[in-house]
Amino acid sequence: MFAAYVTVTVVAAVLTGSAAVTYLVGHPYPKAQLDMKRLPHSWAPVLGTLLAAGSSGLLAGFAVPLLGTLAAVGLVLYFVGAFVAHLRVGSRQLVGPAVFLAVSVAALALGLGHRGPW
């Protein structure tokens, strides 16, 4: 159980961390995603910061379990919102948010299973 928890948590942190970097450096892909969802470009740094906080929180959860739990919950909520944003505009490009959501849910479930909520 411990190996699965560590592996999935690190994968989730790397995925969300790389997404955070793309938002924070002004890469064209997040801008295109914001345009497609009809959201202002001014949200990119905020969304990138949320992703970075979630990624950092997952890794900090190895030392402070409550931080890991809160970060995983935050990421799950973030990616549920991303999924809803895609559906709101009629987008059928749901694989990306579904993968990120699944990895975040797995990190949360394995974290809770391994150490409990605290």
Side-chain angles (χ1 to χ4, degrees):
M1 178 71 139
F2 178 73
Y5 157 64
V6 170
T7 302
V8 170
T9 300
V10 168
V11 167
V14 168
L15 284 176
T16 57
S18 63
V21 169
T22 63
Y23 273 90
L24 294 172
V25 300
H27 192 272
Y29 180 75
K31 291 177 184 176
Q33 289 295 305
L34 290 170
D35 289 339
M36 185 257 305
K37 295 174 195 132
R38 294 183 230 127
L39 298 172
H41 285 204
S42 62
W43 284 26
V46 175
L47 296 173
T49 302
L50 290 172
L51 287 168
S55 179
S56 302
L58 285 177
L59 296 176
F62 291 127
V64 183
L66 181 59
L67 283 178
T69 301
L70 294 174
V73 168
L75 287 171
V76 167
L77 293 174
Y78 179 96
F79 290 116
V80 165
F83 206 82
V84 168
H86 276 268
L87 293 175
R88 179 180 63 88
V89 296
S91 171
R92 298 293 176 235
Q93 300 173 359
L94 302 175
V95 173
V99 168
F100 278 94
L101 178 60
V103 171
S104 298
V105 168
L108 176 60
L110 288 169
L112 290 174
H114 172 68
R115 66 181 187 289
W118 317 117

